[in-house]
Amino acid sequence: MVEPVTGELPGLLRRLANPPPLVRELGAMPLGAVLTRAVRDLARRRPEIFSRLNEHRTRSFVIAPTDLGLSFRMVPNGVRATVAVSARGQFEGDVHVRGPILALLGLLDGTLDGDALFFDRTIAVSGRTDALLALRNAIEDAELKPSDLLGLSGGLGRVADFRVPKVLSKLRRMAGMPLDEVTP
Amino acid sequence: MSLELVCPAGTPAALRAAVEAGAHSVYCGFRDETNARNFPGLNFSPDELNDAVAFAHARGAKVLVAINTFAKAGAADPWKRAVAVAEDSGADAVILADIAVLDHAASKHPGLRLHLSVQAAAATPEAIGFYAKTFGVKRVVLPRVLSVEEIAVLNKAIDVETEVFVFGGLCPMTEGRCSLSSYATGRSPNLSGVCSPPEHVAYEDDAQGKTARLAGFAIDRFAPDEAAGYPTLCKGRFVVQGKASYLFEDPVSLNAAGLVERLATAGVTALKIEGRQRGKGYVAEVVRTFRAVVDAVEAGRDPVEAERILARLVEGGRQTSGAYRKQWR
């Protein structure tokens, strides 16, 4: 047996990340539009990331943070990618990934090892394992920085790339996630 | 340098992470069935290999290209092409298993250094001598079924280098001869480059925990607080005569960090880390730790606590010294 890693957002932050349902619902659609644009911009700048997905770029990936009142459905189809956000339960999709938001963000920027998070049950996956593996490997190789994900460039991008990992690392320590040690 | 640390890379990013973490050599493969880690989204294009070789060489590291599946009869072009592309990239060696591919490489690419893959399962002086004499193989990756004492005896009887696994997933079978994955899915590491191909893997969560299925066969069920493992049949848990147990092999990871000094004394040239399918976080941490182990052994310093450092990265949450320290004889 392994000691499970909770990794969920610390108290105050968790309350901030879970506003009343009406606020979440009002925010879901614009957030989806912003994320869709960010992924499409990424596809224009870094098309090689999406080429690793091959046929899996048209699959739908449902990401459900367990400590956030929102879930996400992404179809990573390059410049035609879409991201939808819902404040009401789960989406339907080809692949489902559930886990604390800090763990999921750690997978996105390559800070955390996906297999280790799966072994110790921090994250749960279901659906098309081949599509999930393709996405995981594409993200792994992409070495995404916060500026890539947020679509920032210039000074703002450099600030984000410097600050955001430090903040996330601190939050992970607060959340009791020792896997931060595997940072390359 | 007396011990060479050979590290895995499934992507160019992982290769860079391995080199920066202290790998002496990195092994990788192409995005097709010519290598035994043919998973979606993984591996290198020819252009990526060229860049990777340049990156590694600029930092004093070597690149070994695994072309270690068995060529299909009458359709060996992908394997021949892979050998040619590897040589063109400037790679330091190719890791081969199939006699036909070895013969092609030895006759058509005589300047290319050949290593014998673990998939060839050569573990005797006679078998290794055959590959060395017939194809000029310079190094053999030994199957994970030998004790340190057996490796020492073997090294005295052969005149090629040996490379042994020291960390990562364990393959309990006579490697290159396993048909479990083929039986369940029709695809295998030997021919298709995939053990438990992911399109046949499914995880189901319910109140009893997590069930792992391969091609519809339930191969394990994990309680909610139990560490999970890879969905390989050899590490499945089955009910026999009313009792559930791991019939073939427990889902544990090899960690032979504590045996590095003995392996060096036994005449081993290179230490191999398994895990081309793992992420760069894993690669960086394992390589960094084993480089510290190797450096400590060579400098005569206190041992590194590799088991503690790497505990969270291993399959099943457990580590073993495997066959190196056989207890049952």
Side-chain angles (χ1 to χ4, degrees), chain A residues 5 113 115 120-121 136, chain B residues 226 230 277-278 280 312:
Chain A
V5 176
D113 181 66
D115 288 16
D120 73 13
R121 316 292 289 275
R136 195 284 300 259
Chain B
E226 190 178 15
Y230 286 120
Q277 76 283 14
R278 299 292 295 266
K280 60 182 181 290
R312 296 202 65 84

Side-chain angles (χ1 to χ4, degrees), chain A residues 1-3 5 52 110 113 115-116 118-121 125-126 129-130 133-134 136-137 140-141 143 178-179 181-184, chain B residues 11-13 16 40-41 43 48 198-199 201 203 210 222-223 225-228 230 277-282 285 312 314-315:
Chain A
M1 185 189 296
V2 293
E3 188 181 333
V5 176
R52 275 192 181 272
D113 181 66
D115 288 16
F118 173 74
F119 291 153
D120 73 13
R121 316 292 289 275
V125 301
S126 60
T129 309
D130 51 351
L133 205 54
R136 195 284 300 259
N137 290 329
E140 269 285 334
D141 190 50
E143 300 192 297
L179 279 168
E181 291 172 11
V182 304
T183 307
Chain B
T11 61
R16 292 190 292 273
N43 297 315
E48 287 172 340
E199 69 272 21
V201 173
Y203 295 102
K210 182 184 292 295
F222 305 99
D225 59 349
E226 190 178 15
Y230 286 120
Q277 76 283 14
R278 299 292 295 266
K280 60 182 181 290
Y282 164 96
E285 187 66 14
R312 296 202 65 84
V314 299
E315 180 184 12

Side-chain angles (χ1 to χ4, degrees), chain A residues 121, chain B residues 203 208-212 220-224 226-229 237 246:
Chain A
R121 316 292 289 275
Chain B
Y203 295 102
Q208 293 175 297
K210 182 184 292 295
T211 300
D220 210 340
R221 181 171 290 143
F222 305 99
E226 190 178 15
R237 194 161 29 176
Y246 296 104

